[in-house]
Structure formats: C-alpha cells, structure tokens
Amino acid sequence: MKVLRFTLSGKQAFFKKPEVNKYYYFTYGHIHRVALLGLLGAVMGYSGYAQIGQKKQTDVPEYPEFYQQLKDLKTAVIPCCEKGSFPQKMIAFNNSVGYASMEKGGNLIVRQQWLENPKWYVYIMLDSEVAEVVADSIIGRKCVYMPYLGSNDHPADITEASMIDATEVETPKKIDSFFVRGDAVVDLDDFEQDNPYKYEEALPVRLDLAFNMYEYERFVLTNLAVSEIQKKIYAVDDIDGRTYHIAFY
C-alpha cells in the first residue's frame, strides 16, 4: 500500500482549547486530526468555518468545506519529541487593531500558551481519489492558502514529502504513532526501554454535524510494548532510516 508522508514543523504552534477563552488561552499538546485536516484544506483552497451558510441559504446543517472534503482521509501522526511532549511557554502580546477591546484605546492584551519548535511525521493513506489529489499538491509544493499551525501567527513548514510503502504487520508489539486508548493495551511492566514514557491526551478527532463542535478520543503515545491491538498496524521505512509502526484514523 502507498502512503504519503511529510514532515510538518514550525517555530511555534497554538491549537486553541475551546474550554477556556478568558485571560489565558491554552493549547492542545499536539496537532489534532481536525486541525490537520484544516491545514490540508488550506493547501487545497477549501473554505473554513466562516464560510458556512454563505454559499446557500438553508437550514440544513453542514460541515465546513475543508472537513466535508477531507473527513474520510486516513491519517497517522508521529511526534518528534522526547517523552511525547514539546516544550511550552506562555506568551503575552498586544492586539491593537482598535476593535479588539472595549477598553480605552482599544488595546487587548492576549496571553497564549505556545508549543515550541514542534515537529511531526504525518502519514496519509492513499486509498482514495481525494487522498491522491492531496498527495499531488503536497509533493508538488502547491498550495492555495498559507498553511498554519493553529493560527496565522505560526506558519507551517511542510518538507520531505514523498510516497512510501506501508506493509500491514501481522503481530505488532509496538505502535510509534498516536493511537486511541481503547485500541491497544500498554504493557506498563515493559522494562526493556531505557527511558520509558506514556503520554495521553484527549484530542479532537471529528466534528459533529449539528454544531460543528469537537468530538474527542483519548489518544496515547508510548515507547512501551502494546498488546490486544484492535487496529490494523502498518510498518513504514521512513527517511530517517527507522521502521515505524503506525495506526491510521
């Protein structure tokens, strides 16, 4: 099976958590599936949330164009970081456009949590015409809109794009990419690792149709052995010379 792979990175990233929107703005620890589809939608020139309902007057619920077009893509993500997490820092800056705040002067002080020097290996299964078109744009370095890592303060670098082979693994004992917690059991007694870790976070995995709000799954990233795997796992030989085992969602 053929897979598109590319490296996604940047100086900083900010994937806003919607639960808190006063005083401090917090980020998810990694790019999640909906944000990744939004980035790919920018590359392809698809519209986003702001354009919902503008093309036609209807009461029928609809997804943003990028999600409607790309929601069936099968993706896998491997973070390039120690113990599953990137360094983070709080940043304060002024939004002085004039209408950002009702205070005198119209200045708004924004405080955000940013990921520092994030980097991921991204894989897309080439099992559909939509996936093939996305691969053509990524490999050909063609994009309609500038891709960002969460907001337009954080340009995304898409590099090292190529087509590689993926082979299903019959009896996998590890998963190097993110996987949903219920899809495998982590062996916490795996003492073969010199520096063992297990990272877990609830991340958006899809949008609901009624309100386009996030729906979540708890994702796990670990270098420990796993068992009772409920997903197909694929082996890929990457450009860094390593063989990774990945799960697509």
Side-chain angles (χ1 to χ4, degrees), residues 50-104:
Q51 286 71 41
I52 294 177
Q54 291 184 2
K55 295 181 180 180
K56 56 182 179 179
Q57 297 298 320
T58 178
D59 294 329
V60 178
E62 59 180 313
Y63 290 124
E65 184 183 17
F66 80 87
Y67 190 78
Q68 181 63 45
Q69 295 293 332
L70 304 176
K71 60 183 174 62
D72 294 325
L73 287 182
K74 297 180 178 64
T75 62
V77 174
I78 298 179
C80 302
C81 54
E82 293 186 4
K83 294 192 173 183
S85 62
F86 298 109
Q88 303 173 3
K89 67 179 180 181
M90 297 302 299
I91 298 293
F93 58 92
N94 293 327
N95 183 339
S96 55
V97 297
Y99 52 80
S101 173
M102 298 303 294
E103 298 178 5
K104 186 177 179 179

Side-chain angles (χ1 to χ4, degrees), residues 4-8 15 31-48 64-77 121-126 128 130-139 142-150 156-159 161 248-249:
L4 168 69
R5 65 87 56 212
F6 59 88
T7 301
L8 179 63
F15 304 106
I31 189 169
H32 51 81
R33 176 173 165 77
V34 179
L36 177 58
L37 297 184
L39 182 147
L40 296 173
V43 170
M44 302 303 297
Y46 298 136
S47 61
E65 184 183 17
F66 80 87
Y67 190 78
Q68 181 63 45
Q69 295 293 332
L70 304 176
K71 60 183 174 62
D72 294 325
L73 287 182
K74 297 180 178 64
T75 62
V77 174
Y121 291 159
V122 179
Y123 306 86
I124 299 176
M125 186 184 294
L126 299 181
S128 67
V130 172
E132 295 282 356
V133 173
V134 170
D136 179 70
S137 293
I138 295 293
I139 292 178
K142 300 177 290 186
C143 69
V144 178
Y145 303 123
M146 177 71 73
Y148 299 108
L149 295 177
D157 291 326
I158 299 175
T159 58
F248 287 96
Y249 291 90

Side-chain angles (χ1 to χ4, degrees), residues 161-219:
S162 62
M163 301 276 199
I164 61 174
D165 292 315
T167 306
E168 186 175 347
V169 183
E170 292 186 2
T171 55
K173 296 182 179 180
K174 66 172 184 174
I175 305 176
D176 297 296
S177 66
F178 274 110
F179 62 91
V180 173
R181 182 172 61 178
D183 286 344
V185 175
V186 178
D187 181 6
L188 298 179
D189 296 323
D190 178 11
F191 300 112
E192 295 184 4
Q193 293 292 337
D194 295 330
N195 196 16
Y197 69 86
K198 178 191 176 192
Y199 177 95
E200 186 171 328
E201 184 178 9
L203 294 170
V205 70
R206 68 185 70 88
L207 296 178
D208 83 292
L209 181 57
F211 300 104
N212 283 309
M213 297 185 70
Y214 289 152
E215 295 181 350
Y216 294 82
E217 296 279 5
R218 293 202 68 86
F219 280 87

Side-chain angles (χ1 to χ4, degrees), residues 18-32:
E19 294 87 354
V20 179
N21 60 0
K22 184 177 181 181
Y23 195 72
Y24 280 115
Y25 296 82
F26 295 96
T27 181
Y28 294 105
H30 290 275
I31 189 169
H32 51 81

